[in-house]
Amino acid sequence: MAASAPAAKPPLGGQTVRDSFGNVDFYITVAGDTPAAVAAAYKLSEAKLTAFNGLQTGTPLTPGTRLRLIPAGPATGASGPVTVDADGIPTSYSVEPNDTLSGITYRFNLTEEQLSEANKVPFTHEKGNVFFIQAGRLIQLQKKPVDSRSGSGLSVNNSFGQTIFYTTVDGDSFDGLGYKFRSTTAQILLYNPSLAANEPIPAGTKVRLIPGDVKIAGAQGTFTADAQGIPLTYTTAPGDIERQVSFRFGVTDLRSANRPSKGTGGAWYEFADLPNGELAPGQTISLALDKPINNPER
């Protein structure tokens, strides 16, 4: 006869204090709770739990004790000052020299994706450590409340899965769209001149979420689009660079849209300055993964 599985431990019965992402930052004890049980429930070592709360190992817990489940102060890789709300939830943080992404996420009980969302930053920027570890930068640790209906409108995506246009519904706001699509209010206003910062976004508005028609530094050329407005091709201008062309049109892999016809080499298009990613001007290149341009001579 097979051995029976051990009985599951009952969940903790105390109340929790959660951040805007639902992460538990504080736990309020009830009778019968122990440091070991609380630590295990929240995937902490007992040593960390006691250190976060200034407790001695083996100290019994009094019912109604508010236990921290995140560090109480500066930590390795996150040594800067923080602001908190009335519940003690960290809301913003000033980055210090030598801070690390892992240190920041650990200290504030956030995932990298949540940190990226709170700051309306594409996750690709955060992965490259180019945003969250710049000394002196004030970063956000929480989202503002948004209407539950926000973000439920129709999206038009390009062949890379990036949303190019979004049609708004009742309840949408600049913050709501910013968190969903990782775009700041300033960017949305720049890409959509008909919108105003201090006015609600009317339901049924088709909001552009990439620069597109807005020329930016490093992407000054012209482009073509399909009937839905999804960019298809781009003709390079002097000073254009791969990274900025990709950003202007929501392209996550420009080289894959411009594969050579033969061999396994990289993109066929030519560079004026390869180390800097500067493209030779006057080339027409693909912006669509499902409609690549393959140079017949390569």
Side-chain angles (χ1 to χ4, degrees):
M1 181 176 178
S4 60
K9 294 181 179 179
L12 298 177
Q15 295 182 333
T16 57
V17 180
R18 298 174 181 266
D19 68 10
S20 61
F21 295 99
N23 303 313
V24 180
D25 287 353
F26 296 91
Y27 172 73
I28 301 171
T29 61
V30 295
D33 282 339
T34 65
V38 175
Y42 293 103
K43 296 181 173 58
L44 293 171
S45 68
E46 187 174 351
K48 284 184 177 178
L49 181 70
T50 54
F52 292 169
N53 292 279
L55 301 174
Q56 296 295 321
T57 301
T59 301
L61 295 176
T62 303
T65 300
R66 192 174 193 262
L67 291 179
R68 297 186 63 91
L69 303 176
I70 58 175
T76 302
S79 59
V82 62
T83 58
V84 299
D85 65 14
D87 291 322
I89 300 295
T91 56
S92 64
Y93 172 71
S94 182
V95 179
E96 291 287 311
N98 301 317
D99 276 355
T100 64
L101 182 59
S102 60
I104 293 170
T105 55
Y106 169 75
R107 179 178 172 185
F108 301 114
N109 192 28
L110 297 169
T111 66
E112 295 176 352
E113 184 74 7
Q114 288 168 347
L115 188 62
S116 173
E117 183 178 353
N119 289 274
K120 304 176 184 177
V121 176
F123 193 42
T124 49
H125 292 346
E126 184 274 314
K127 279 182 178 176
N129 283 346
V130 297
F131 186 87
F132 291 117
I133 60 171
Q134 293 183 5
R137 183 186 293 278
L138 183 69
I139 59 176
Q140 301 303 311
L141 303 173
Q142 304 300 327
K143 301 184 298 181
K144 296 177 183 177
V146 297
D147 194 294
S148 61
R149 297 168 294 175
S150 181
S152 59
L154 178 66
S155 295
V156 176
N157 296 341
N158 65 10
S159 56
F160 299 91
Q162 301 299 300
T163 302
I164 304 302
F165 297 101
Y166 170 78
T167 301
T168 59
V169 296
D170 286 331
D172 275 327
S173 64
F174 287 109
D175 280 335
L177 297 187
Y179 296 136
K180 182 176 178 65
F181 298 111
R182 308 297 165 81
S183 188
T184 66
T185 298
Q187 287 174 320
I188 294 174
L189 291 171
L190 178 63
Y191 309 157
N192 299 273
S194 64
L195 300 180
N198 298 320
E199 297 179 7
I201 308 174
T205 301
K206 187 177 182 181
V207 177
R208 182 185 290 273
L209 295 167
I210 60 169
D213 292 326
V214 178
K215 295 181 178 182
I216 61 175
Q220 293 283 308
T222 58
F223 72 101
T224 65
D226 66 12
Q228 288 186 293
I230 298 175
L232 295 178
T233 67
Y234 176 73
T235 301
T236 57
D240 283 353
I241 57 176
E242 281 184 305
R243 183 180 68 253
Q244 291 297 86
V245 172
S246 296
F247 173 73
R248 179 177 168 187
F249 300 105
V251 174
T252 58
D253 191 351
L254 188 65
R255 296 192 177 198
S256 289
N258 295 276
R259 298 183 295 270
S261 297
K262 299 178 181 179
T264 58
W268 61 263
Y269 48 72
E270 297 179 348
F271 291 87
D273 185 346
L274 181 58
N276 293 324
E278 183 178 337
L279 300 164
Q283 303 179 93
T284 297
I285 61 178
S286 176
L287 299 173
L289 191 61
D290 57 349
K291 296 182 180 178
I293 294 178
N294 304 111
N295 190 323
E297 299 177 0
R298 302 271 175 116

